[in-house]
Amino acid sequence: MKKSLMYLLLASFTILFSCGGNDDDPITDPPASESSWKLGSYSYNRGASSQGNSGGLGGMTVTTSGDGGNHGAYSGSSLTVVFQASLGAGKYTLTSSSVMSANPTVRYMALTCAVGTAVTSGAVSYAATATSGGTADVTIDANGKYHVHITTPVTLQKTLVTGGGIPGAPDTYNLTVNNAY
């Protein structure tokens, strides 16, 4: 029951942040190409993003646009990041949403990466788990926007398959993130 509640919470944040619009200021934000992530051997560039705070949690959803990297079944990707906003900038340990929620005074971060979002054949989501380990650096820019960096690869576990998924998608993938915002 508790695990289902955590997945529902994470899905709610995905919807909340992805529907929040994009109010990026083109004068002060770096170009989208300076914001990217790599899942396994697939590289993705930021196309759009949304950030917000709700119930003490902060987070963002960052997505690709267009063909999403033109990676066949792996085309298109999104990152969803959730953490305790009150803890501010700093180094966060990647873990499951249930561990993060149970420890509101610890810098834990829940992270999900979906692939196959630009195709109609199906998608797969990978998430940090209670044993993923790894860290993410969170900074806050002059406009109050969060930026997330993961320089040392962290292993994510396959957690959700939608629309038939991606045939042959592995159970785990390593993720790095360059300036997701």
Side-chain angles (χ1 to χ4, degrees):
M1 173 73 174
K2 191 173 187 179
K3 190 172 186 178
S4 296
L5 182 61
M6 289 301 113
Y7 283 121
L8 180 61
L9 176 68
L10 196 54
S12 297
F13 273 99
T14 300
I15 293 167
L16 173 71
F17 295 137
S18 65
C19 295
N22 185 346
D23 63 347
D24 291 344
D25 179 352
I27 296 171
T28 57
D29 282 340
S33 63
E34 293 181 18
S35 177
S36 61
W37 58 98
K38 188 172 182 180
L39 187 70
S41 62
Y42 300 103
S43 296
Y44 301 96
N45 288 323
R46 173 188 176 272
S49 68
S50 182
Q51 295 193 14
N53 292 310
S54 179
L57 297 176
M60 70 178 77
T61 296
V62 184
T63 63
T64 59
S65 60
D67 67 13
N70 197 22
H71 299 302
Y74 290 85
S75 295
S77 182
S78 66
L79 288 174
T80 301
V81 176
V82 180
F83 55 94
Q84 296 291 337
S86 63
L87 300 177
K91 191 170 289 295
Y92 285 74
T93 300
L94 297 171
T95 191
S96 67
S97 57
S98 58
V99 169
M100 182 198 69
S101 295
N103 296 281
T105 60
V106 179
R107 281 194 170 134
Y108 283 141
M109 176 184 287
L111 181 140
T112 301
C113 182
V115 293
T117 61
V119 296
T120 59
S121 56
V124 178
S125 292
Y126 293 87
T129 66
T131 59
S132 288
T135 59
D137 292 307
V138 174
T139 58
I140 303 172
D141 67 21
N143 295 323
K145 291 184 181 177
Y146 300 109
H147 293 252
V148 175
H149 306 270
I150 301 173
T151 55
T152 301
V154 62
T155 301
L156 302 182
Q157 183 76 34
K158 186 190 305 183
T159 56
L160 182 64
V161 173
T162 58
I166 301 172
D171 290 336
T172 62
Y173 260 126
N174 284 336
L175 173 78
T176 56
V177 178
N178 177 42
N179 193 29
Y181 67 94

